Amino acid sequence: MSEANTQAVEKYRNNFLKEVEERVEEGEWVKMCMQCGVCSGSCPFGPHWAHPPQEIFMMIRAGKRDEVLTSDSMWMCTSCYNCIVRCPRKLPITHIMHGLANYAHRLGLAPKGQPTREFGKMFWNNLVATGRVNELKLSLSLYFKDGFSQGIKNAMAMKDVGLGMLKAKRLNPFELFSPHGCKDRKGIHAMLKKAREIEDRRKHLTS
Amino acid sequence: MADQKIAAYICQGCGLGERLDTVDLAKVAQKEGKAHVVREHEFLCNVDGVKTIQNDIDSEGVTHIMIAACSRRAKAEAFYFPAVAMSRANLREGVIWCQPDTDEARETTQEMAADYVRMGCAEVKKMIQPQGNPGAVRNNRILVVGGGMSGMTAALQAAKAGYGVVLVEKAGQLGGWAGKIYKRIPSRSPYQDPQDTGVEEMVKAIETDSRIKVYLNAVVAKTGGAPGRFQVEVGQESGAAGTEEVGAIVQATGFSLYDANNLPELGYGKSANVVDQAGLEKLAKEGNGAIRRPSDGGEVKTVVFVQCAGQRDASGKHLAYCSGSCCNTSIKQAMYFKDANPDVNTVVIFDDLRTPGNGEDFYRSAQNKGVTFTKGKVSAVEATGNTCKVTFHDLILNDQNATIVDADLVVLATGQVPNSGVDIDAKLKAEVAAANGDTSLLEAIEAQEASGQKPISVLNLDYRQGPDMPQLKYGFNDSHFICFPYETRRTGIYAAGPVRRPMDMVQAAEDATGAAMKAIQALENAAVGRAAHPRSGDLSYPSFRIEGCTQCKRCTVECPFGAIDEDEKRYPQFNEPRCRRCGTCMGACPVRVISFENYSVDTVGSQIKAVDVPDEFSEKPRILLLACENDAYPALDMAAMNREIYSAFVRIIPVRCLGSVNTIWITDALNSGYDGVMMMGCKHGDDYQCHFVKGSELASYRMSKVDDTLKGMGLEVERVRTFEAAITDIERLPKLINEYAAVIREIGMSPFKGF
Ligand code: SF4
Ligand code: SF4
Ligand code: SF4
């Protein structure tokens, strides 16, 4: 268990709702859910979640910290926004789902190998490296995330798409060797660092 | 009647002149209807037409008029001649608008019209224009029983309107439930926080109003009389009693909380820290908002509210219904804690959170304040030391054994039980249940009787029908729930507030205001001998021929409004101001001695007999349709407006209520060769729509015995049929008529023709 997690447990004791309100993006909305279930019924992924949004909100209020933060449910959200549109209490459900996922990730509690989480990490690392997303690298690392031979299989399956993109000049193989970044990579890094600081302060994550 | 002079008017407007041979109709009125004056007019409801009629009344000495034009429901302002008796033959809605405009239909359409003219003439001959009760008296005071939110509101509203009030409260001070609570659910925008009750201001207003006389520590020991002349004995424990005369009564006796002692599984009585909502209000009031743990005065850190405690219970052990106010009350009580200290953990365990009115905003406000709402059903509350463990089925997480340990206080939201007095039909209901194999009710009554314990009456009416107002369901006083919520079954007595149905303070105040207005209306009506709703303004009232009466008491039993007492000689004694003019007594009387001046066994019977019944071989059957004037008849008028076509063989007579239908009309109709009789009345049962509450139910009971009569006459049972009809059945009723006409065609013509 990460240190951040131990410290959070210390700080909030058994008031998980309060923890969510302070530390999760839009978490202060959780108390406003009236348990109508419209979100769960509206979610295209609803039947595939262990805990649809309504249930997650109830679990937060019932103090089920571990179950919520280690769940892969909120990672399933596809950001279709159906629930937000329909929630009679106007909860920003989609944002709360991402907020919860992000928080669980930062505490190191999010499920290992959860595909959305893995892709999220890849995307982020790829982006911050040069300040610009390198699509070729990103897709290759996605293909090869489960090992070399699976990677080859994935690449072969996608080869027609790749060649088509090459022809249409939408893909440049040289990006693999000399990727081009943005003008002020240092500046970007400084910005991101500052943003993180602000966020951490707002979410009471700095001690 | 020698000095009767009848005038018949046949209108030619609205297409009547084109569709009908009015010369022929005039002849019918003169020859068969025996009208002394007969006039055709091209447009009877216009100024000239009305003047013609008025002139006949003023200078020709006409005493009875028959207007053959549109439905009696139309042009009532134009055809308003209060000095004479009047009948209306419905040629427009009842004939030309519901018959096809074709050459083939011309003959039957004309026959229909001629019959209605005959019927109109026959009816009016039997009518006397009512003059109202000469014994009507005025009393401008209203008795209000109960001094809670409803009672105080009714008293203040009536006084404000200039009427005197006698307010009787059984406790030592006014206020009722509202006086016992710390704060009330907000009644004003923005509906965010609990609000002062305002009871003190109301009490002050009552005390300083010279029109309101207050009795405290007092009960109503006896109520006699009728609207306009109620005699009320007020009893006080000190022995001092007053007698008051009032014109109308508002019963605002409120509710008691359901007894939480019936809920030992929820810890009540086992721990001082388990209270009901009244218990929590007491704690809050005593501590002026600061609530400590009852068992040891300790700090309250966690409070659990248990919704629907002993309510919405399907097992039959507790209240079956929702009290509709306790969710908002729990929200309010949770705020007592949150407003004082946001760190107190407040959990409301609910199944469905029902927050009527503006409660939704209040609910949201509580969520904002951090009150936790958990959807679940509490199964047990166990006390351990100074705290309680609450076990519940979490309905969202589907956890059967969810728990909250360390609850310092548990509040049970038990519901409202009406203080409605004695259930005067208890014995009857018990006997019906016993007949159906369930003797538990009967046993309970017998046990109570054996114990010498008498149920406590609220009004102590000295009516023959029992000391209190009849109840509908779950002990709430019967008020016309679906259509006219203020109307009870005791004329001039209005139930207001939670005694009528569960409700909160805002609703109770509204309800009480309405009841006060109704009470004023009732005493104003009584002052001039006018009927109350639904025949408002009707000056006729029932009387009976004493020589014929067999003292069978049917009328006293069946009158839905308890209007008929019994005199010393055991004859029925009609109390005109209590009567609603439904005619149920008239329908009930087996020897047919009850009548109204303008509505009697004869006014309808003579119409039935006036119809020309063609012989067996004509292939023109005759179907009599007795239609309730409140629902079925207007629905048929509207159907005609939509040009819905129905059988030309039907002859429709509006009746005040199906309850007024005397079976003699049916036997008379069948004996004079009608092929079928249809009756249309309102829905009955718990969700009745009958304007006279019990009329259609009694009718259907009476008609259930008609089959035997039919068999006795050697007739098919299909020849008499009763239907439930609502005013919205505009398309259905013509269909019913046509289907029935098809049935008659199937079984063939009646063998009773020509006798
Ligand atoms: S739709 Fe909104 S209020 Fe309803 S359960 Fe979902 S989050 Fe709660
Ligand atoms: S039955 Fe109807 S008409 Fe007869 S006394 Fe009662 S209320 Fe009046
Ligand atoms: S129903 Fe008729 S006979 Fe019977 S008591 Fe009444 S008036 Fe008399």
Side-chain angles (χ1 to χ4, degrees), chain B residues 529-662:
Chain B
R530 242 177 358 212
H533 168 93
R535 290 192 56 83
S536 5
D538 190 353
L539 289 172
S540 71
Y541 55 94
S543 61
F544 78 116
R545 223 170 9 90
I546 194 162
E547 316 87 65
C549 173
T550 57
Q551 301 192 328
C552 72
K553 311 277 184 294
R554 289 252 46 88
C555 53
T556 60
V557 173
E558 293 201 13
C559 171
F561 304 101
I564 316 171
D565 288 329
E566 214 177 291
D567 69 9
E568 317 82 62
K569 295 198 190 115
R570 321 205 55 190
Y571 281 111
Q573 184 180 42
F574 289 85
N575 290 280
E576 173 274 314
R578 288 192 214 158
C579 168
R580 301 278 261 278
R581 283 73 169 171
C582 58
T584 298
C585 49
M586 175 173 124
C589 182
V591 287
R592 301 178 295 284
V593 296
I594 302 178
S595 63
F596 298 76
E597 291 146 306
N598 55 2
Y599 183 63
S600 63
V601 170
D602 271 355
T603 60
V604 175
S606 62
Q607 292 183 67
I608 295 174
K609 286 178 207 147
V611 168
D612 178 43
V613 180
D615 67 27
E616 216 173 319
F617 312 103
S618 63
E619 290 190 25
K620 284 177 180 167
R622 285 292 173 260
I623 297 166
L624 174 65
L625 167 49
L626 298 169
C628 156
E629 68 176 8
N630 297 301
D631 274 53
Y633 200 70
L636 284 163
D637 273 357
M638 286 188 277
M641 287 174 205
N642 291 351
R643 302 300 191 274
E644 302 271 353
I645 305 296
Y646 56 79
S647 166
F649 303 133
V650 69
R651 299 291 177 265
I652 304 174
I653 301 177
V655 293
R656 289 188 177 180
C657 175
L658 225 45
S660 72
V661 172
N662 196 295

Side-chain angles (χ1 to χ4, degrees), chain A residues 97-138:
Chain A
M97 289 304 119
H98 297 324
L100 280 169
N102 178 268
Y103 184 56
H105 167 74
R106 292 198 56 183
L107 295 187
L109 293 175
K112 300 255 145 31
Q114 205 289 333
T116 319
R117 186 186 182 203
E118 290 310 311
F119 178 72
K121 279 200 287 197
M122 267 174 219
F123 183 91
W124 183 255
N125 293 338
N126 180 302
L127 171 73
V128 291
T130 62
R132 196 182 173 115
V133 176
N134 185 314
E135 284 170 358
L136 192 56
K137 275 191 171 172
L138 184 61

Side-chain angles (χ1 to χ4, degrees), chain B residues 295-343:
Chain B
S295 65
D296 64 343
E299 192 192 341
V300 175
K301 293 197 198 103
T302 296
V303 197
V304 177
F305 294 87
V306 180
Q307 296 313 106
C308 304
Q311 302 192 67
R312 304 174 64 208
D313 172 70
S315 73
K317 271 204 297 211
H318 305 296
L319 303 182
Y321 54 88
C322 161
S323 291
S325 61
C326 10
C327 281
N328 275 330
T329 299
S330 288
I331 291 173
K332 175 193 73 175
Q333 295 184 337
M335 285 193 191
Y336 290 171
F337 295 94
K338 280 286 183 195
D339 288 346
N341 174 9
D343 286 337

